[in-house]
Amino acid sequence: MSKEEIPKDYDFKKEKEWEKKWEDENIYKYIGDGSRPRYVIDTPPPYPTGAIHLGHVLNWVYIDMNARYRRQKGYDVLFPQGWDCHGLPTEVKVEETHGIKKNDVSRAQFRQYCIDLTTKNIASMKADMKAMGYSQDWTREFVTMNPEYMKRTQYSFLKMYEDGLIYQGKHPVNWCPRCQTAIAFAEVEYSDNTTFLNYVNFPPAVEDSYNDIASSQESGKQADPKEEGILIATTRPELMSACVAVVIHPEDERYTHLLGKYVEVPLSHQKVKIIADEEVDPEFGTGAVMICTFGDKTDVSWVQKYDLEVIDVIDDSGTLTAAAGRYEGMDLQTCKKQTIEDLDSEGYLLKKEQVDQNVGQCWRCKTPVEILLKEQWFVAVRDLIEKTKVAANEMNWVPEHMKSRMINWADSMEWDWCISRQRIFATPIPVWYCKDCGKVILPEVEDLPIDPTVDKPKHACECGCEEFVPEVDVLDTWMDSSISPLSIAGWPDEDYVNHFPSDIRPQGHDIIRTWAFYTTLRCIALTGQKPFDDIVINGMVFGEDGNKMSKSRPEFVVGPEEVIEKYGADSLRTWAANSVPGSDVIFDWKDIKHGYRFLRKFWNAFRFISMQIFDEEISYDDVKDNLGPIDLWILSKLNNLNRTVDEAFAEYNFAETITSIERFFWHDFCDEYIEAVKYRLYTDVSDESRRAAKYTLRTVVETSLKLLAPIAPFFTEEVYQYFSDESIHTTSWPEVYDELINEEMENKGETTVELIDEVRRFKSSAKIPLNAELSEVNVYTSDEDLVDVFNQFDADIKGTLKINDLAISSGKPEVHEKIIEVEPDMSQIGPKFKGDAGKIIGYLKSTPIDEIGSVLDESHELTIGDIVVPEDMLNIKKEIVGASGKKVDILQSENLDMIVEVIR
């Protein structure tokens, strides 16, 4: 093979060709026959939004590098890809696209809209993933909306129901008025907001009114708004019609005299009792709080604790009900505005002050959530918390501190997991209700999956009734995705145990409290085992402005396709690789360009040496006795690099892999070794030395390619085709040659490289071509070890620097300054010596420079007749000469005990 057969530049556009070849040859297929150790990846199933973003890139590059590395290490890798289709994201998009709400069309039509959109989006995202070089086994693809997956989800529901871990009950739930569905606490996002804290007087209730909560209007006597009662500071005055008590701290001396007494709620006029609870913060607002049903989690806790009445003032759509009195039919924002105006006009509002607020909102549509009392299905989370924490502690978390997020979330769980949703596009809850007795009717396992709105039970109810009411609610989408490791393993088939637990769960830190938590809890409930051994967490991607990339700031959003078009997928992958698990990553174009330059550097180095490394087959045994010291240096570093990268991949320390490879290949190999062996390739040296250099060059390039292959699969495949017809991605991890690892030789090599670099820097600064010959170089040092090192590497020093005569000596050079030119400084001589200036000029021109130099060295002045010229009135040019009397350049190393004398 000749260098001319290799293109001058690396063409990343060929990535598409390799993508197709890999797919055609199905080289990433999981075999599963037990002939190799298995490695199972519990791959995140993303929502099919239609395009992957840089967060996906970061996450899946982590996954793909690990998968490729494990294959090279001899594992049979199960790397499936799933799609988490169901739930709000898709439904919200369908409603936006078609300009409808879910109930505007039939359930079947709405579901078909969702299926059509999802199918289209999956195809698009799948193409994006392939363009990134991800090595999934697409024959193992799973889609949560398909019957096979829905069957598993429904079976898991039945099993947990029969075990008492799923139940139905009427409890307060987080409710999205826009999506009109319950959502779990883990799906509530919080955003900062500015609002007003309204200081409202709750006047003392009229004494002869009812003793229980009732409207004072019924007694015909209302409290005086101006009579001092208890001052409440609230950000939600629109909920006062649902107020059922006022609570203070039991040790708050301002209010203890009021305990057990009643006040009247402004505007709605119900009478409520003042009670005490230690949860009240006396420092916030006025230290007195109204309990509403329901404003927040604390209200729920107090209502349950003190068995208070529940007043439903908000309906499913966020509209005020008849219980809100004069505000019936208003939306919440209109009600708040009108309530504040009424409080002011009727004399209840004392003042307002602006405050910062943390508002809970729906994770998909960003609508503020409300807490409503609803009949829903729940997972008994609190029964499984301790087992879930034990399982979390059994896993290897990368980074370790991310485990605390899961443990802290588990410890904070006060409510069970609400798993029913009032939507359509999701896995149906597989139950019916007997029309007569209301008993829950379950399907047969062999009939799953079922849709209770379409299918019917096979048998009559125990009471004899044959009419059934279908459950129209569906399951939370996390009920689908939280069994991903079980689905991948083939559960509930008996042999699922061969693939469960998964070896690894890779995911973002933003879904630890959802996907990681729910998966662990559900697998504990269904199998009694942790779901995976390792959990590797990736961070979020931030834009160049330092903020998280978001659709709300499109000017700072960069799509993967834009990067691929300009620099190729591998440049983007090197950016992703150069990050630390758990940490957020800033996207910067200069990092992409750096990765691109590195790949081009690699290509150029490979192309340069290609003429030398392919003309004959040379094995290690052929050259091991003829390897020169510079060969042994780079080969030791190469094998140490192999160990470092191997260990870093195994520990998910991806940044260490790419930085170590770049540092070695770019600096040690390209900048130092290649330059140091050129003379052995192109000048008259022994055949043994030339073959040793060729072997070393090829070994370094081929080994480096295999180390780099998990990170830059397209590039390494393109280069490796010149080495073999086999795909680099079906080769094994390169062997480490322990006998070649030599710390002493590495130190000696680094020392020699320092000397070579010192002289090369001198050539560059002196505008001497790097390939120009130097007549003589003398190295002086007081370190005898350095003398031995330089003598051992003398051939490489001479050959690399084009030195005709190299001498290594102990001690210091014998050099001195020699005056080689003296000119009069006429700006000084003219004014002072005037007419005698000509004598001075004549003397300088007629007298040998050596004679002038001797006089100046001795007396630092010139005496010409009766004229005395001081040295500072002369322009003197000197040069350094060595013991031989030849002009020399002196180089003083900052890092080594040496002085270098260069004779050009």
Side-chain angles (χ1 to χ4, degrees), residues 649-664:
F649 269 128
E651 296 178 352
Y652 315 109
N653 187 359
F654 301 121
E656 179 69 16
T657 66
I658 184 61
T659 55
S660 297
I661 294 169
E662 282 188 6
R663 186 168 55 245
F664 167 81

Side-chain angles (χ1 to χ4, degrees), residues 651-779:
E651 296 178 352
Y652 315 109
N653 187 359
F654 301 121
E656 179 69 16
T657 66
I658 184 61
T659 55
S660 297
I661 294 169
E662 282 188 6
R663 186 168 55 245
F664 167 81
F665 197 88
W666 199 323
H667 175 65
D668 295 325
F669 184 61
C670 293
D671 293 347
E672 305 298 348
Y673 181 77
I674 291 179
E675 293 301 319
V677 299
K678 282 181 179 178
Y679 80 98
R680 292 163 63 188
L681 303 174
Y682 301 113
T683 60
D684 186 17
V685 298
S686 69
D687 188 54
E688 291 79 9
S689 177
R690 183 177 292 106
R691 282 167 58 82
K694 287 183 176 183
Y695 166 81
T696 305
L697 288 167
R698 175 165 181 152
T699 299
V700 171
V701 171
E702 190 169 1
T703 302
S704 298
L705 280 173
K706 292 181 179 180
L707 302 184
L708 184 62
I711 302 170
F714 294 110
F715 174 83
T716 52
E717 189 78 296
E718 180 69 20
V719 177
Y720 195 71
Q721 68 168 319
Y722 297 102
F723 289 83
S724 172
D725 293 334
E726 180 185 11
S727 169
I728 194 171
H729 303 300
T730 59
T731 63
S732 298
W733 191 259
E735 180 184 353
V736 173
Y737 288 84
D738 292 317
E739 67 270 26
L740 286 173
I741 296 178
N742 187 322
E743 183 178 354
E744 181 183 4
M745 186 57 70
E746 286 194 37
N747 292 333
K748 289 180 177 181
E750 295 301 318
T751 300
T752 301
V753 164
E754 178 66 27
L755 168 59
I756 291 172
D757 287 348
E758 191 75 52
V759 178
R760 291 177 69 189
R761 284 192 291 270
F762 158 72
K763 277 188 167 184
S764 179
S765 64
K767 303 294 191 290
I768 301 172
L770 293 180
N771 62 353
E773 292 186 355
L774 295 176
S775 174
E776 186 178 337
V777 173
N778 301 305
V779 181

Side-chain angles (χ1 to χ4, degrees), residues 86-214:
H86 288 143
L88 288 177
T90 302
E91 292 201 16
V92 169
K93 188 64 177 178
V94 163
E95 290 175 332
E96 291 174 355
T97 302
H98 293 276
I100 59 173
K101 290 294 180 67
K102 62 175 181 175
N103 296 324
D104 291 347
V105 295
S106 69
R107 290 175 69 92
Q109 181 63 67
F110 189 80
R111 181 174 177 81
Q112 190 59 51
Y113 283 152
C114 293
I115 291 172
D116 293 344
L117 174 63
T118 301
T119 302
K120 175 185 174 182
N121 286 349
I122 286 176
S124 177
M125 292 181 71
K126 191 172 177 179
D128 290 346
M129 288 183 167
K130 290 180 179 179
M132 281 299 304
Y134 301 148
S135 60
Q136 293 99 327
D137 177 358
W138 289 104
T139 67
R140 295 274 179 160
E141 186 176 14
F142 61 93
V143 183
T144 60
M145 68 180 180
N146 286 354
E148 185 61 31
Y149 200 99
M150 291 174 65
K151 177 179 180 179
R152 290 191 174 104
T153 301
Q154 290 187 337
Y155 177 71
S156 71
F157 175 94
L158 296 180
K159 191 172 187 303
M160 291 179 68
Y161 178 78
E162 291 168 355
D163 291 341
L165 296 173
I166 286 180
Y167 66 93
Q168 190 179 38
K170 192 170 185 178
H171 299 289
V173 296
N174 292 299
W175 186 269
C176 174
R178 187 266 173 230
C179 300
Q180 294 189 31
T181 183
I183 60 175
F185 262 113
E187 296 171 317
V188 178
E189 292 183 349
Y190 291 88
S191 65
D192 294 331
N193 182 39
T194 301
T195 188
F196 284 96
L197 194 60
N198 303 278
Y199 288 80
V200 181
N201 179 44
F202 280 48
V206 177
E207 290 185 4
D208 61 351
S209 60
Y210 296 97
N211 291 326
D212 297 322
I213 297 176

Side-chain angles (χ1 to χ4, degrees), residues 71 74 94 98 111 287 290 403 467 514 574 792 808 828:
R71 290 192 194 99
V94 163
H98 293 276
R111 181 174 177 81
M290 64 174 183
K403 177 171 64 177
E467 290 188 62
T514 48
T574 60
Q792 185 177 358
I808 314 296
Q828 297 187 69

Side-chain angles (χ1 to χ4, degrees), residues 115 367 526 616:
I115 291 172
T367 300
L526 294 167
E616 57 181 320

Side-chain angles (χ1 to χ4, degrees), residues 348-363:
Y348 293 101
L349 183 64
L350 274 65
K351 66 174 181 176
K352 295 164 56 178
E353 63 182 32
Q354 193 166 313
V355 293
D356 293 329
Q357 188 181 39
N358 205 12
V359 179
Q361 58 187 24
C362 174
W363 71 297

